[in-house]
Amino acid sequence: MRFGLAALVLGAALVSSAEAAPPKKAPAHAAWLQTIVATPEGGVRMGNPAAKVKLIEFGSRTCPLCARFDVEGLPALKAGYIASGKVSYEFRDYPVHGALDLGPILLGQCVPTRAFFPVLDAMMAEQKTLVGRSDAIPDAKQKELQTATPNVVASYLAGFYGYTDFVVKRGLPIAKANACLADRKKIDVLVARADAANKAYAVSGTPTFVLNGAAQANVYDWAALEPLVRAAVAK
């Protein structure tokens, strides 16, 4: 059913010698993979901010192709390119499925920035379970939601499909989750950012990959994306 769009692992080193050894620097690959920042455009970026190649994904948390890339492609991208400091990767939420995406987006953006990618990855890995319910929304409720505010719709669907319980089980307080789902300004910002993405990159589906400022046509998986990333790094 589609409606219109209206913890961290802490490292510790024990020094057994009487004279403390100088602290060891974290490997470069670990440093870049742990460099996570929110961007002014509403995304979250991983990697070297001065990377030669900048990759942006406009993705949907309910999109099967996006889930496939996150599970199959992103690990290779991280290990081979982001870790080297040559490529940065930014994920920007795009509500391709309208109201169905609103709840997962609002909840996914409600967590601390450092938890953004772990929660995103978990949502993608469990996407089939979350949106694959066999039972349907009751007809009376569907009729009611057709005239409800976007936040009411987002809150209901997030509960129905289990996204609210999903983030609460991962440490997000229920009160904060509900507050994020009820925040109308967040939806207004999301709509504005989606419009900006459409104007800048003609985003018509997900995933849409933008490589150094240029949207890549007909590229939906790692098999198609990797040669483009490799070529951009080699330039």
Side-chain angles (χ1 to χ4, degrees):
M1 181 67 182
R2 287 180 59 179
F3 295 88
L5 181 62
L8 292 176
V9 178
L10 299 177
L14 296 178
V15 180
S16 58
S17 62
E19 183 178 350
K24 295 181 179 180
K25 293 183 178 180
H29 68 277
W32 291 132
L33 293 177
Q34 295 168 11
T35 303
I36 313 294
V37 298
T39 67
E41 296 78 13
V44 176
R45 185 183 66 227
M46 174 190 300
N48 180 4
K52 177 181 180 179
V53 178
K54 302 184 187 304
L55 176 66
I56 300 170
E57 176 190 356
F58 287 94
S60 159
R61 295 169 190 257
T62 64
C63 157
L65 288 177
C66 300
R68 179 181 175 186
F69 174 76
D70 189 276
V71 173
E72 298 179 1
L74 189 55
L77 176 66
K78 290 165 64 175
Y81 292 99
I82 299 175
S84 71
K86 297 177 181 179
V87 177
S88 66
Y89 166 75
E90 179 182 346
F91 184 89
R92 297 184 190 176
D93 281 294
Y94 185 88
V96 72
H97 293 137
L100 179 60
D101 279 317
L102 292 182
I105 291 174
L106 292 173
L107 293 171
Q109 295 183 355
C110 196
V111 302
T113 300
R114 67 182 182 276
F116 180 89
F117 283 112
V119 169
L120 175 64
D121 293 343
M123 281 188 179
M124 293 299 196
E126 298 188 31
Q127 184 190 95
K128 288 184 179 180
T129 300
L130 289 164
V131 297
R133 292 184 54 160
S134 59
D135 56 325
I137 298 172
D139 291 341
K141 192 64 179 182
Q142 290 190 34
K143 184 176 181 180
E144 177 187 333
L145 292 176
Q146 288 175 3
T147 57
T149 66
N151 292 94
V152 170
V153 176
S155 181
Y156 177 81
L157 294 181
F160 181 82
Y161 287 106
Y163 281 99
T164 304
D165 287 342
F166 181 89
V167 294
V168 170
K169 288 178 181 178
R170 284 160 178 78
L172 187 69
I174 184 64
K176 185 173 182 180
N178 289 334
C180 286
L181 289 168
D183 192 332
R184 178 55 190 267
K185 290 184 178 180
K186 290 184 182 295
I187 289 184
D188 291 341
V189 170
L190 179 60
V191 172
R193 286 172 174 164
D195 288 342
N198 293 336
K199 293 176 181 177
Y201 305 111
V203 177
S204 60
T206 55
T208 289
F209 296 102
V210 178
L211 193 61
N212 282 347
Q216 306 300 303
N218 302 315
V219 176
Y220 306 110
D221 58 20
W222 182 236
L225 178 63
E226 195 276 339
L228 302 177
V229 174
R230 180 169 13 103
V233 169
K235 284 183 179 179

